[in-house]
Every structure is written in C-alpha cells, then in structure tokens.
Amino acid sequence: DDFGLFGKRISESISPYLKKLHFLPVRFRIKFKIALLVFKCVNNLAPDYLKGLIHLRDITRRSSRLDDDFFMLKMPQKCNFSRSEAAFSHSGPRIWNELPFNLRSLSSISLFKSGLKTHYFEIAFKDVD
C-alpha cells in the first residue's frame, strides 16, 4: 500500500484534493493563461507583437442571438501543419470564442481573472464531489 500526496493511495484520483485547494488542473491553467493574454490584447494591455495576432470579428446584423458577434475574434485560416493549431494566433481566438459573453465583455482585468478562474473551476470539477 504505497501512499502518495495527502496520505492517499497512489491509485486514487487527485481531483478532490485539487478542488479542495482550489487549484486548476494543468490543461485549464494553460487555457487560463492564454485567455488572459487574449484579454490583454483585446483591451490594449499587451505588447504590439501579440496584439497584431488577434483581430475582432466583424459584427453581422444577421445574428440569431444578440451577443453572438460581440467580442468574438476572427479565426485564422486552417493550416496544413498540425503544430500551428497550438500557436497563439490559432489557440487564442479559439479559447476566447469558447468563453461566455459575460466574460468576454468584461473590461476589468481583476474581474476577468476571477470570473475566468471560476468558469474553468466549474468545468474542471463539475463531476468531483
């Protein structure tokens, strides 16, 4: 009976402990960091070399939902190289456009960070008791 972190068995899931400590799993932490960089680009808080990679989508009047087109980013052309999907110019808009409108429309960085962590926390631990 090997014991790991917090005296639990190595075969047990660490998720309940991460939830208790309010830590995001790594993949959500990565999304958090990317979304925060995009927020800074959209709100003119990022360096020019990053802002040049992010472009707001043009608003269309034919939208079926009121907030569909607001604060959404243009997705770059699909590329033949699989690794390019991981580039900020591809992953940034994809992650940003997945966020709910109430997060995308915030202008306060502290409110955005708090709301974003809550959003990812709820997704990451929705099935953890």
Side-chain angles (χ1 to χ4, degrees):
D1 287 329
D2 292 323
F3 287 90
L5 191 62
F6 297 109
K8 69 166 201 66
R9 288 189 177 7
I10 290 178
S11 60
E12 287 181 87
S13 173
I14 193 75
S15 294
Y17 299 99
L18 291 175
K19 183 178 181 181
K20 185 183 286 189
L21 294 171
H22 217 263
F23 288 172
L24 285 174
V26 172
R27 69 185 172 111
F28 289 101
R29 187 74 187 151
I30 292 168
K31 284 184 164 192
F32 179 93
K33 292 289 191 180
I34 293 170
L36 183 57
L37 278 176
V38 174
F39 174 87
K40 290 179 178 182
C41 290
V42 169
N43 288 282
N44 237 5
L45 302 170
D48 290 338
Y49 74 91
L50 282 179
K51 289 190 291 190
L53 300 173
I54 300 296
H55 305 284
L56 284 173
R57 198 166 69 184
D58 295 327
I59 297 171
T60 62
R61 297 285 177 205
R62 296 170 291 196
S63 176
S64 59
R65 284 184 32 214
L66 182 59
D67 61 8
D68 265 356
D69 290 332
F70 292 105
F71 303 109
M72 296 287 280
L73 300 178
K74 288 182 186 175
M75 292 296 295
Q77 293 280 337
K78 286 278 185 192
C79 188
N80 293 337
F81 304 107
S82 62
R83 303 292 286 162
S84 63
E85 298 289 320
F88 179 70
S89 58
H90 287 263
S91 62
R94 181 178 41 77
I95 289 169
W96 179 261
N97 290 347
E98 290 171 354
L99 295 176
F101 175 73
N102 66 318
L103 283 176
R104 292 192 321 262
S105 62
L106 290 172
S107 59
S108 161
I109 195 165
S110 60
L111 290 176
F112 179 77
K113 286 165 72 173
S114 174
L116 186 62
K117 184 169 183 185
T118 300
H119 173 71
Y120 284 141
F121 190 83
E122 288 171 353
I123 293 171
F125 297 111
K126 69 178 183 226
D127 297 326
V128 178
D129 294 329

